[in-house]
């Protein structure tokens, strides 16, 4: 099997430069829309969160692709950049959303794991990313999208911590490999201890929210058929904490960004009133080898890499392969 050449960080920087120069005369990049479904949509959150937090001039929002088609935002225009991502490159809803963005004059960047994907024909630029479960960590989609955020902010506003962000980008693959080894035994133990649980909640805040959401809807619900819900740490005390007891399992993800105190507060409550608590902590995973101004974003990726291993451990213990389906691709929907 031939090795697929994935897009590099340097190539992302060139694409970002081309997009910015194209829109500079119109007043620059005004809006960034991320269009995808399921895990692909969740993977867009780092870009969205980064621009929402760090940029003064670029509005960013993620859309479930079909919602974007049926309820298209009025702000979509020639100063917009739309990222349309589909792992296999043929998700109908995402392809339709990319076409809508194109029709409204937006610059469209498509992303998939293959260079000749159907969706690539729609975009102005195509990015090939690696699937972290099979192809390694050199070009995972979350990191490539985050790199676009760094580049856009550098070009349009001047990003104060750009050098630190690029340095973290270079360190990321090695740290991801380290995480897999670090949590291997824990992931197996998690699987054995949780294989018969009917429900598992995930919780975090900030950039790591995408990891909790993906673990919930993609890993536990889609792949392992386990009931789950992703809870925001800040919202935990405004309703969800009432389900806490000695029998209800939580996967608590502690990020390393400004919202970490929200996660620590929720964890403290769980440790007092709960029992089945699994903690995934970005600090323990090694994110502090990077500059503190970017650890919130990269820590979220390391948390996801760890969470994926926990899902694999659960699949092994349940003897339920991650890619076994009842409905997806099997029935009409």
């Amino acid at each position: 099997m031939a090795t697929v050449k994935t897009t590099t960080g340097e190539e992302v920087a060139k694409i970002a430069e081309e997009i910015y120069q194209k829109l500079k005369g119109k007043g620059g990049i005004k809006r960034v829309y991320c269009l995808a479904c399921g895990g692909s949509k969740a993977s867009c959150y780092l870009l969205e969160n980064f621009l929402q937090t760090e940029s003064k001039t670029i509005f960013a929002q993620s859309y479930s692709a079909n919602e974007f088609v049926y309820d298209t935002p009025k702000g979509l225009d020639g100063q917009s950049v739309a990222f349309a991502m589909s792992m296999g490159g043929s998700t109908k809803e995402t392809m339709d959303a990319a076409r809508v963005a194109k029709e409204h004059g937006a610059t469209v960047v498509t992303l998939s794991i293959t260079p000749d994907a159907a969706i690539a024909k729609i975009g102005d630029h195509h990015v090939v990313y690696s699937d972290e479960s099979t192809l390694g960590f050199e070009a995972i989609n979350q990191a490539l999208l985050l790199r676009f955020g760094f580049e856009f902010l550098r070009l349009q506003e001047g990003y104060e911590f750009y050098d630190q962000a690029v340095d973290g980008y270079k360190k990321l693959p090695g740290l991801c490999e380290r995480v897999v080894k670090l949590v291997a035994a824990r992931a197996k133990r998690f699987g054995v201890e949780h294989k018969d649980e009917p429900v598992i909640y995930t919780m975090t805040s900030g950039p790591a929210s995408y990891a909790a959401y993906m673990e919930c809807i993609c890993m536990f619900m889609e792949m392992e058929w386990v009931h789950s819900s992703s809870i925001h740490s800040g919202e935990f005390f405004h309703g969800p904490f009432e389900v806490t007891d000695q029998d209800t399992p939580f996967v608590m993800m502690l990020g390393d960004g400004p919202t970490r105190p929200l996660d620590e507060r929720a964890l403290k409550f769980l440790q007092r009133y709960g029992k089945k608590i699994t903690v995934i902590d970005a600090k323990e995973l090694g994110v502090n080898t990077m500059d503190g101004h970017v650890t919130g974003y990269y820590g979220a990726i390391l948390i996801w890499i760890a969470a994926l291993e926990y899902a694999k451990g659960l699949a092994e213990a349940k003897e339920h392969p991650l890619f076994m389906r009842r409905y997806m691709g099997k029935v009409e929907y």
Side-chain angles (χ1 to χ4, degrees):
M1 180 178 179
T3 301
V4 174
K5 182 185 180 302
T6 53
T7 303
T8 66
E10 291 73 20
E11 288 169 335
V12 164
K14 290 179 181 178
I15 295 171
E17 175 81 31
E18 185 175 332
I19 292 171
Y20 176 71
Q21 292 302 329
K22 172 186 172 183
L23 300 185
K24 186 178 179 180
K26 300 179 181 180
I29 301 167
K30 193 172 182 180
R31 298 179 181 87
V32 168
Y33 296 105
C34 297
L35 317 174
C37 306
S40 294
K41 176 179 178 292
S43 294
C44 292
Y45 183 69
L46 277 184
L47 171 60
E48 176 188 3
N49 180 266
F50 173 78
L51 290 175
Q52 285 179 342
T53 303
E54 307 288 350
S55 177
K56 297 177 181 179
T57 63
I58 304 173
F59 169 84
Q61 186 170 355
S62 295
Y63 277 84
S64 184
N66 227 16
E67 181 178 3
F68 186 84
V69 171
Y70 283 94
D71 194 13
T72 308
K74 296 295 188 294
L76 179 65
D77 59 18
Q79 284 183 264
S80 303
V81 180
F83 290 90
M85 180 159 61
S86 165
M87 182 176 174
S90 60
T91 304
K92 181 182 183 302
E93 296 91 334
T94 306
M95 292 177 68
D96 288 345
R99 292 188 186 98
V100 168
K102 190 79 172 173
E103 289 166 2
H104 282 74
T107 299
V108 177
V109 180
T110 57
L111 303 94
S112 73
I113 61 171
T114 57
D116 56 352
I119 199 171
K121 298 177 177 64
I122 303 171
D124 298 287
H125 306 276
H126 185 63
V127 170
V128 180
Y129 65 89
S130 61
D131 171 15
E132 64 268 32
S133 67
T134 57
L135 300 177
F137 306 108
E138 291 76 14
I140 54 178
N141 52 10
Q142 303 98 323
L144 289 173
L145 283 168
L146 189 57
R147 182 67 182 262
F148 270 106
F150 298 152
E151 300 298 338
F152 284 166
L153 195 59
R154 173 184 66 85
L155 291 162
Q156 185 149 310
E157 300 176 25
Y159 180 31
E160 182 180 1
F161 305 109
Y162 176 78
D163 290 340
Q164 293 91 323
V166 172
D167 180 66
Y169 186 91
K170 294 175 181 176
K171 291 178 179 177
L172 186 64
L175 285 174
C176 288
E177 292 175 5
R178 175 185 177 276
V179 167
V180 171
K181 296 175 182 177
L182 178 67
V183 304
R186 303 177 201 178
K188 287 183 177 292
R189 186 165 61 250
F190 173 86
V192 172
E193 293 174 351
H194 291 78
K195 62 184 179 67
D196 297 318
E197 296 290 353
V199 59
I200 306 173
Y201 293 109
T202 64
M203 184 156 54
T204 191
S205 64
S209 294
Y210 94 88
Y213 183 71
M214 280 215 289
E215 188 79 340
C216 165
I217 73 159
C218 297
M219 297 295 113
F220 293 156
M221 298 179 76
E222 176 189 343
M223 298 194 180
E224 290 306 303
W225 307 350
V226 175
H227 292 277
S228 184
S229 180
S230 174
I231 304 168
H232 189 282
S233 299
E235 289 294 291
F236 182 56
F237 297 102
H238 301 277
F241 72 148
E242 289 293 345
V243 303
T244 306
D245 57 32
Q246 299 287 304
D247 299 315
T248 303
F250 286 82
V251 176
M252 185 72 226
M253 303 176 180
L254 274 67
D256 192 43
T259 66
R260 184 180 174 94
L262 280 67
D263 302 335
E264 292 175 333
R265 180 188 177 202
L267 177 60
K268 183 177 180 181
F269 184 91
L270 288 177
Q271 291 173 331
R272 182 175 181 182
Y273 295 104
K275 183 178 180 181
K276 298 178 179 180
I277 306 158
T278 301
V279 178
I280 303 177
D281 190 339
K283 286 187 175 181
E284 186 200 4
L285 299 180
V287 75
N288 288 346
T289 62
M290 299 181 183
D291 183 86
H293 294 95
V294 297
T295 54
Y297 304 109
Y298 287 121
I301 296 177
L302 297 184
I303 286 173
W304 164 242
I305 297 303
L308 181 58
E309 294 307 305
Y310 280 87
K312 291 177 182 177
L314 184 65
E316 181 180 343
K318 288 171 67 69
E319 298 182 355
H320 182 119
L322 282 178
F323 297 101
M324 184 165 69
R325 301 290 189 274
R326 283 185 289 196
Y327 308 116
M328 188 174 287
K330 295 182 179 294
V331 301
E332 185 177 349
Y333 49 92

